[in-house]
Amino acid sequence: MELTRARLRLYYGTLPFGPGKADLLEAIRDTGSISAAGRSMGMSYKRAWSLVEEMNAAFAEPLVASARGGAHGGGARLTRAGEEVLSAYRTILVKLIDHCAPEIAAIGARLRPGGGTEPDRPPTDADTPQ
């Protein structure tokens, strides 16, 4: 059976950083908006803001810069630090899968036929506790 996805959660003291936060950073980068990013992930605006605040408070430099709405509209963007953290996280996943391919395949080979299958469904907040 081929590995279809991998999830990695890193813990830095009390800050977990994993797929949910990485996906949120990516969505903010792609949409230019914290609220739009949250919506695209099925997440409330309050939850998205809470995660951004948590990340910005934990890192030495903020990962997300935001501007309030108004006549010219608000918005959000990743800072250089945010881009670097997101890139590093994605690179770790690729290296983990590439470097550990034999071990990953060995685990997969021990599954029963059809074992480990789950109907395709989009991930929910319950899948990515932060």
Side-chain angles (χ1 to χ4, degrees):
M1 168 176 251
E2 185 177 327
L3 179 70
T4 58
R5 64 183 171 155
R7 299 166 54 91
L8 174 67
R9 183 164 290 118
L10 306 170
Y11 293 88
Y12 298 95
T14 60
L15 175 78
F17 187 89
K21 288 182 178 138
D23 290 349
L24 179 60
L25 290 177
E26 195 167 66
I28 291 168
R29 182 196 64 205
D30 294 347
T31 65
S33 165
I34 294 170
S35 60
R39 272 193 309 275
S40 75
M41 296 175 66
M43 181 184 301
S44 73
Y45 175 73
K46 182 178 179 183
R47 177 73 174 143
W49 251 109
S50 174
L51 292 172
V52 167
E53 288 175 336
E54 179 182 4
M55 288 185 283
N56 280 351
F59 284 89
E61 298 173 53
L63 303 188
V64 177
S66 62
R68 288 188 175 265
H72 296 76
R77 63 174 180 78
L78 296 190
T79 63
R80 178 178 296 160
E83 290 283 358
E84 290 172 358
V85 166
L86 178 59
S87 176
Y89 178 81
R90 298 294 189 214
T91 299
I92 290 168
L93 280 174
V94 169
K95 287 182 177 182
L96 173 69
I97 292 168
D98 287 350
H99 182 74
C100 296
E103 292 82 3
I104 292 168
I107 292 170
R110 293 186 172 273
L111 292 172
R112 294 173 199 238
T117 59
E118 181 179 341
D120 285 340
R121 64 175 176 76
T124 66
D125 279 345
D127 294 325
T128 55
Q130 298 288 323

